[in-house]
Amino acid sequence: MKIFKRLFLTVAVILGLVIITPLLLIQFGPAGWGTTSKVMLNMVFGYGGEAPSASGVKQRLEVADGFSVSLYATGLGKIRPRSGEILLLERDGNDDGLPDGQRVLLAGLTRPHGLDVAGSWLYVAESDGVGKIAFNSTEGAVSGDYQRIVSGLGDKGNHWTKTVRASSDGWLYLSAGSTCNVCEEVDQQRATIMRFRPDGSEFSIYASGLRNSLDWAPWDNSLYATDNGRDLLGDDNPPCELNRIEEGGFYGWPYVNASTPDPDLGELNASAVAQNIPPSHEFRAHNAPLGLRFLRRSAVAGFERAALVALHGSWNRSVADGYKVVSLHWQAD
């Protein structure tokens, strides 16, 4: 029965992509920027859409008081990791609001996605491993050979991108998505946050049952991570999550959605259900929080203890929802 459910869900998703992608031509997301069919093609094949104009950005996007928005760079091609390249946008030295140039910093990588700089090293999370190369951030130049420090990571199925972040505690943290919408993983490294030393040693799974971006609160160095909820449970379920990450913690997927056992897999692992750590915050269903960044130098009043979260927006609701950058504000507790 369990195998049948998995097979049914997989076939349903594939059929949905095959049928919906070429047919739906409804405006989707920010008005005039694309169609549902283009969004689906981008998600499945990395298909690119037209870049907005600078005036279009200002006309279509609304910003809160104290913030501004402008178009910074265009013509970047398939900016998601399918090109195998790392692009460098040169810093805006002439204060015209645009990068002074762009160039390929690294090429020939395996679907690179996550980047971070720590000390004199640039770390790159490829879909199947992590590498590093000496990097001069003042000159924007790499030197020496690119070194693989972690290899053999699984990158089959869905959600194969990896995010790498260097922490002030001397470790590197790596998040990996799941192979599927909802299933019991064979590869125990999927849907986890892993941790290792800058040379790749002492590699271990740090937390499990979640999938997406991570950052540290600067006031107490607590680690937080966003988590996309599963699909195919209707418009309003389950919520997406923000989780406070603890070493060894389990955060639900695929057995628990937020604090509610999953209707398909919740009965398969009572121990996992009991160990689930509920989220610190719930986002609306299918909003897909993909980017998380705590503010460290904000001059805007009220944002002293805040993080910004980029919501990708829904592709699977009858009424589209999301497509925002939202702020989260921490209280004394």
Side-chain angles (χ1 to χ4, degrees):
M1 187 65 180
K2 180 171 64 176
I3 295 175
F4 174 77
K5 282 185 177 180
R6 288 187 198 172
L7 179 62
F8 175 79
L9 291 172
T10 301
V11 171
V13 171
I14 292 174
L15 286 175
L17 293 175
V18 170
I19 295 171
I20 292 173
T21 297
L23 293 181
L24 292 183
L25 298 173
I26 303 168
Q27 293 289 340
F28 193 65
W33 282 14
T35 61
T36 298
S37 58
K38 289 183 178 180
V39 171
M40 298 296 288
L41 286 168
N42 177 277
M43 181 180 71
V44 179
F45 303 112
Y47 175 89
E50 299 81 8
S53 65
S55 60
V57 167
K58 291 184 178 297
Q59 290 172 359
R60 298 184 189 282
L61 298 186
E62 299 177 0
V63 291
D65 292 342
F67 292 86
S68 62
V69 62
S70 62
L71 186 64
Y72 186 64
T74 60
L76 303 179
K78 291 183 177 180
I79 196 62
R80 298 187 76 178
R82 299 174 193 275
S83 67
E85 296 178 340
I86 303 297
L87 298 182
L88 177 74
L89 302 182
E90 297 177 358
R91 64 164 56 93
D92 177 19
N94 57 9
D95 294 325
D96 65 353
L98 301 171
D100 289 351
Q102 70 179 62
R103 51 191 164 88
V104 176
L105 197 64
L106 292 171
L109 303 179
T110 304
R111 299 192 290 186
H113 176 73
L115 297 171
D116 207 358
V117 175
S120 59
W121 295 96
L122 170 66
Y123 293 89
V124 181
E126 301 178 64
S127 65
D128 62 351
V130 179
K132 69 176 183 179
I133 190 168
F135 180 64
N136 185 320
S137 57
T138 301
E139 299 178 359
V142 295
S143 60
D145 295 329
Y146 178 76
Q147 309 168 32
R148 267 293 185 101
I149 57 174
V150 174
S151 298
L153 298 176
D155 62 353
K156 305 303 182 185
N158 301 329
H159 316 127
W160 40 260
T161 58
K162 309 291 191 297
T163 298
V164 65
R165 295 294 310 279
S167 173
S168 60
D169 63 9
W171 294 86
L172 285 118
Y173 291 74
L174 181 75
S175 67
S178 60
T179 62
C180 58
N181 173 42
V182 56
C183 66
E184 292 186 300
E185 294 281 11
V186 174
D187 182 351
Q188 297 304 304
Q189 293 177 346
R190 299 300 288 265
T192 69
I193 293 175
M194 295 160 274
R195 186 174 76 165
F196 53 95
R197 293 296 184 183
D199 62 357
S201 64
E202 299 183 53
F203 188 97
S204 65
I205 293 176
Y206 186 78
S208 60
L210 73 171
R211 42 186 188 162
N212 271 138
S213 57
L214 61 152
D215 197 14
W216 290 265
W219 53 87
D220 64 3
N221 211 39
S222 296
L223 177 59
Y224 289 85
T226 57
D227 190 8
N228 285 8
R230 60 160 293 187
D231 302 323
L232 305 177
L233 292 182
D235 275 5
D236 300 314
N237 285 296
C240 295
E241 304 176 17
L242 177 80
N243 289 291
R244 186 178 185 277
I245 305 302
E246 302 172 1
E247 184 173 3
F250 174 71
Y251 295 88
W253 189 91
Y255 307 106
V256 185
N257 303 312
S259 301
T260 304
D262 184 81
D264 295 315
L265 300 185
E267 297 180 358
L268 299 182
N269 193 327
S271 175
V273 172
Q275 293 172 23
N276 173 63
I277 299 174
S280 300
H281 174 75
E282 295 183 4
F283 301 94
R284 289 165 62 91
H286 312 305
N287 274 194
L290 294 184
L292 167 67
R293 188 63 57 135
F294 282 89
L295 300 181
R296 289 168 169 81
R297 291 176 293 275
S298 176
V300 181
F303 284 80
E304 295 81 8
R305 290 164 62 101
L308 301 184
V309 181
L311 305 182
H312 174 282
S314 62
W315 63 270
N316 50 358
R317 292 186 86 255
S318 57
V319 177
D321 192 24
Y323 312 100
K324 302 173 183 177
V325 175
V326 297
S327 61
L328 304 180
H329 300 258
W330 271 253
Q331 308 305 317
D333 59 1

